[in-house]
Amino acid sequence: MEGHGAYNRNSQVQASGIAPAIGSLEDAARAVPIGSGAAPLVVADYGCSAGRNSLLPIGIAVRALRERAGTSRDISIVHNDLPNNDYAALFDLLANDPASYLGHDPRVFASAVGHSFFEQVVPSGSVTLGWSSWSVQWLSSVPMEIPDNVAIGCSEDAAARAAFARRAADDWATFLRARALELRTGGRLVVVTMASDDSGDFGYRVVVAAINKTLRELAETGFLSETEVRRMVIPTYGRTRAEFVAPFGDSARFGDLALVHAELFFQEDHIWADTGEGRDAETFGARWAAFSRASVGPTLALFLEGGTGDPRRTEFLDRYEATMARLLAAKPEKSLMPLVQIVLEKRGAG
Amino acid sequence: MEGHGAYNRNSQVQASGIAPAIGSLEDAARAVPIGSGAAPLVVADYGCSAGRNSLLPIGIAVRALRERAGTSRDISIVHNDLPNNDYAALFDLLANDPASYLGHDPRVFASAVGHSFFEQVVPSGSVTLGWSSWSVQWLSSVPMEIPDNVAIGCSEDAAARAAFARRAADDWATFLRARALELRTGGRLVVVTMASDDSGDFGYRVVVAAINKTLRELAETGFLSETEVRRMVIPTYGRTRAEFVAPFGDSARFGDLALVHAELFFQEDHIWADTGEGRDAETFGARWAAFSRASVGPTLALFLEGGTGDPRRTEFLDRYEATMARLLAAKPEKSLMPLVQIVLEKRGAG
């Protein structure tokens, strides 16, 4: 990890993209059955990272549930991510940030589960409301090297594109099966994630081009080896809306999960807008570079020869960010930023 | 924190001390009501640290509950510690260690709560079985500087001893009130923790003497300032059995908690025994020094002028360990190691 809260400080791009889906989450919080017993209502947050982008949506979900359940009902929030996530930063944020939902409601309890969401991570039938933001685009692993690009969305290699598409389809089905086990009957899951538009365009072309060029420059100066650059891959995949709904078929059902809503939408490029549509090129470059360092830098650094312990790690991230900033400032361009939101409901016994 | 898993590698002293209490935990797992519904059984582990010493007791509790509840009942383990605990090490251990209880039972789910156990940390009435090992001796904060010692157990200062005793009494009552809220009716909590014997002796005299001498040496060489050494305190308190049972009074009740069992016992000094009762002085010193670095080193380092960011942190810990090893090797001596185990049951409505 890149130190306490580095991701929290540089994740505004994700935050600005989830606003439409937060409305769906609030609707779901008003629609799910909450029963009349005293058992805690459980809200699961799949892919929480260090938590910054969870505070707003989870806070809204908590308030909506609280209005329905009364003041004495306990609400349990389960934040899930990989085992090596920065949970200390998450718990610090939850305890101390003014925007933390914990500060506004004494009957809310937070916990974390450090386990891949491609398996079941909480007890069966326990989740009333699920949320996953900007996480499902990450694949379970890299299916193969991409010969011509760091990102499959910008690759022209047919074999690599096919291998990534297969892995993405398998991972989505695996993710859904695990969530189907975890949801209570009538419980809902709202997913918002990076996607490709209906023509298959993943977007972010100027940013991905800068990443490729940055890595080539770092190899040309000898800082990275050719082997390292060849192996570097961002293991994300932007599924199209059609790929997201495929498992549900004509019945809009996948096992116990019913498809309630699936929508492609486009996030505004706030960095482009905030920097005068290219007029403040330096800030444009600096902001995208900081975002890229925080979001994909740690992943790329894993491909350094020495892995997580490679002594060049911090210098790699510094050089990566500096080169990205220079390249992006040289030719500011607006990015297409496709997202998909999906709303699912657990049906049948559970 | 001192890097991934440092505590896990140097916590054998604690591990060897909890064996008698593990029997009480297993008994409690066989005694608690588990109901006939499908709701998960919840086991809470208060003060988990990086988890190494939790694997054995929690694994035994899980097996005892599993025998009673059948193969399909979900069991949820909640590991609790402070927000800045090394949760990544905990989740890595749970996922990958051969001794992890997760590997032996697919219907067990683990989570973490990074929040002080002096407040309620999980929903009301949710815990079937609670466990707390080697944690309750830590006070919520330092009530005052100790003029003559780093450890209150070896201080002769009456005012400091009184202030620490009051804080320890308040903290124990606060801890109990929070657990009373969390336990289900009939649920049990087993606590094993450092204590003082009936004469008020906290033990560990040779080790504490070495810590005091080490800090004085580091001040004499100019590595630590006099102010730093004066402020350094280990905020633990060894309550006597009488202090542990005091809140329960003649009725053996404290609110909804009933006192089932309270016992002073003495841990064997395994380091002394393993090193030939002083014959291998170098190993004796090295093992106690490594233990002391892992258990109290990070706490002492918080009192460095620069706090958690002090640039001398690693060198302080290195010098601390080296000096401790030298001093302890010079005069090996067996330590008195008093522990108390307490078993509590939640009564009444809840």
Side-chain angles (χ1 to χ4, degrees):
Chain A
M1 274 166 295
E2 222 220 313
H4 219 69
Y7 185 84
N8 272 348
R9 287 190 300 274
N10 289 293
S11 53
Q12 299 95 334
V13 172
Q14 289 98 326
S16 65
I18 61 179
I22 291 176
S24 299
L25 180 67
E26 186 169 9
D27 291 346
R30 298 196 185 286
V32 290
I34 60 170
S36 54
L41 299 170
V42 176
V43 179
D45 175 25
Y46 299 103
C48 61
S49 187
R52 169 63 59 194
N53 294 336
S54 296
L55 297 186
L56 179 64
I58 299 301
I60 286 172
V62 164
R63 278 193 292 278
L65 291 171
R66 177 61 70 213
E67 280 178 24
R68 299 176 59 203
T71 52
S72 63
R73 187 84 170 267
D74 285 352
I75 300 176
S76 175
I77 314 297
V78 184
H79 295 283
N80 162 250
D81 211 302
L82 290 172
N84 65 353
N85 184 50
D86 192 349
Y87 294 101
L90 170 73
F91 287 123
D92 178 61
L93 187 83
L94 293 175
N96 300 313
D97 195 277
S100 168
Y101 56 81
L102 287 183
H104 301 114
D105 191 327
R107 302 314 311 159
V108 178
F109 299 90
S111 63
V113 175
H115 195 92
S116 165
F117 60 33
F118 293 117
E119 298 186 61
Q120 189 178 345
V121 297
V122 292
S124 299
S126 66
V127 175
T128 296
L129 189 62
W131 168 252
S132 181
S133 162
W134 277 82
S135 295
V136 170
Q137 72 267 11
W138 292 95
L139 299 179
S140 57
S141 64
V142 178
M144 64 177 278
E145 284 181 11
I146 308 172
D148 62 334
N149 212 294
V150 72
I152 197 65
C154 298
S155 165
E156 305 291 335
D157 188 87
R161 290 184 70 94
F164 273 70
R166 276 194 305 275
R167 175 62 51 85
D170 290 348
D171 281 352
W172 177 232
T174 301
F175 178 86
L176 293 174
R177 277 189 287 265
R179 303 297 83 75
L181 292 171
E182 294 166 351
L183 282 168
R184 289 170 189 258
T185 301
R188 290 194 174 199
L189 171 67
V190 178
V191 175
V192 55
T193 180
M194 295 173 86
S196 292
D197 71 13
D198 293 339
S199 74
D201 189 348
F202 178 68
Y204 298 89
R205 291 198 171 267
V206 62
V207 181
V208 173
I211 298 174
N212 284 307
K213 199 164 177 197
T214 292
L215 297 180
R216 280 200 303 276
E217 279 196 20
L218 293 179
E220 282 157 17
T221 63
F223 182 78
L224 296 177
S225 74
E226 289 295 337
T227 306
E228 288 173 323
V229 172
R230 195 181 65 242
R231 291 170 57 214
M232 282 185 179
V233 166
I234 304 170
T236 59
Y237 184 90
R239 300 170 185 87
T240 62
R241 183 188 176 286
E243 288 175 305
F244 276 111
V245 306
F248 297 88
D250 292 340
S251 65
R253 284 287 288 266
F254 180 67
D256 288 336
L257 291 179
L259 181 64
V260 176
H261 184 68
E263 179 188 351
L264 171 72
F265 65 106
F266 297 91
Q267 182 181 357
E268 189 190 344
D269 182 346
H270 282 288
I271 296 177
W272 172 257
D274 290 350
T275 55
E277 305 193 346
R279 287 188 293 278
D280 180 357
E282 199 176 327
T283 304
F284 175 87
R287 281 187 55 187
W288 269 115
F291 168 68
S292 183
R293 174 187 180 139
S295 59
V296 308
T299 301
L300 295 174
L302 293 177
F303 294 97
L304 293 173
E305 191 62 37
T308 50
D310 195 289
R312 293 168 300 160
R313 181 181 165 78
T314 300
E315 191 181 349
F316 166 69
L317 292 169
D318 290 344
R319 287 184 183 226
Y320 175 83
E321 183 174 353
T323 310
M324 286 290 287
R326 173 170 52 76
L327 294 173
L328 285 158
K331 192 164 179 277
E333 201 174 291
K334 186 177 180 175
S335 278
L336 180 77
M337 299 164 72
L339 294 169
V340 154
Q341 63 156 309
I342 311 269
V343 182
L344 305 169
E345 184 179 309
K346 168 83 169 276
R347 300 277 169 82
Chain B
M1 276 164 293
E2 222 217 318
H4 219 69
Y7 185 84
N8 272 347
R9 287 190 301 276
N10 289 293
S11 53
Q12 299 94 333
V13 172
Q14 290 99 328
S16 65
I18 61 179
I22 291 177
S24 298
L25 181 67
E26 186 170 10
D27 291 346
R30 299 200 186 283
V32 291
I34 60 171
S36 54
L41 298 171
V42 176
V43 179
D45 174 25
Y46 300 103
C48 60
S49 187
R52 168 65 60 194
N53 294 335
S54 296
L55 298 185
L56 178 65
I58 299 300
I60 286 172
V62 164
R63 279 193 292 278
L65 291 171
R66 175 63 69 214
E67 279 178 24
R68 300 175 61 204
T71 54
S72 64
R73 187 82 169 269
D74 285 351
I75 300 176
S76 176
I77 314 296
V78 184
H79 295 283
N80 162 249
D81 212 303
L82 290 171
N84 65 353
N85 183 50
D86 192 350
Y87 294 101
L90 170 74
F91 287 123
D92 178 62
L93 187 84
L94 293 175
N96 299 314
D97 195 278
S100 169
Y101 56 81
L102 288 183
H104 301 113
D105 191 328
R107 302 314 310 160
V108 178
F109 300 90
S111 63
V113 174
H115 196 92
S116 165
F117 60 33
F118 294 117
E119 297 187 59
Q120 188 178 346
V121 298
V122 292
S124 299
S126 65
V127 174
T128 295
L129 189 62
W131 168 252
S132 181
S133 163
W134 277 80
S135 295
V136 170
Q137 72 266 13
W138 292 96
L139 299 178
S140 58
S141 65
V142 178
M144 63 177 278
E145 283 180 12
I146 308 173
D148 62 334
N149 211 294
V150 73
I152 197 66
C154 297
S155 166
E156 305 292 335
D157 189 88
R161 290 183 71 95
F164 273 71
R166 276 194 304 274
R167 176 62 50 84
D170 290 347
D171 282 353
W172 177 232
T174 302
F175 178 86
L176 292 174
R177 276 189 286 265
R179 302 298 81 78
L181 292 171
E182 295 166 351
L183 282 169
R184 291 171 187 259
T185 300
R188 290 194 175 200
L189 170 66
V190 178
V191 175
V192 56
T193 180
M194 295 173 87
S196 291
D197 69 13
D198 293 339
S199 74
D201 189 348
F202 179 68
Y204 297 90
R205 292 197 172 268
V206 63
V207 182
V208 173
I211 299 175
N212 283 309
K213 198 164 175 198
T214 293
L215 297 179
R216 279 200 304 276
E217 278 197 19
L218 293 179
E220 281 157 17
T221 63
F223 183 77
L224 296 178
S225 73
E226 290 294 339
T227 307
E228 287 173 325
V229 172
R230 195 181 64 242
R231 291 170 56 214
M232 283 186 179
V233 166
I234 305 171
T236 59
Y237 183 90
R239 299 172 187 86
T240 61
R241 183 189 176 284
E243 288 175 308
F244 276 112
V245 306
F248 296 89
D250 292 339
S251 64
R253 284 286 289 266
F254 180 67
D256 288 337
L257 291 179
L259 181 64
V260 176
H261 184 68
E263 179 189 351
L264 170 72
F265 66 106
F266 296 91
Q267 181 181 357
E268 189 192 343
D269 182 345
H270 281 288
I271 296 176
W272 172 258
D274 289 352
T275 55
E277 304 195 345
R279 288 187 294 277
D280 181 357
E282 199 176 326
T283 304
F284 174 88
R287 280 186 56 187
W288 269 115
F291 168 67
S292 183
R293 175 189 179 136
S295 59
V296 307
T299 301
L300 295 175
L302 293 177
F303 294 98
L304 294 173
E305 191 61 40
T308 51
D310 194 290
R312 293 168 300 159
R313 180 182 164 78
T314 301
E315 190 181 349
F316 166 68
L317 292 168
D318 290 344
R319 287 184 182 227
Y320 175 83
E321 183 175 354
T323 310
M324 287 289 288
R326 173 169 53 75
L327 294 173
L328 286 159
K331 193 166 179 274
E333 201 174 292
K334 186 176 180 177
S335 279
L336 179 78
M337 299 164 71
L339 294 169
V340 155
Q341 62 157 312
I342 310 270
V343 182
L344 305 169
E345 183 178 310
K346 168 84 169 273
R347 300 275 169 84

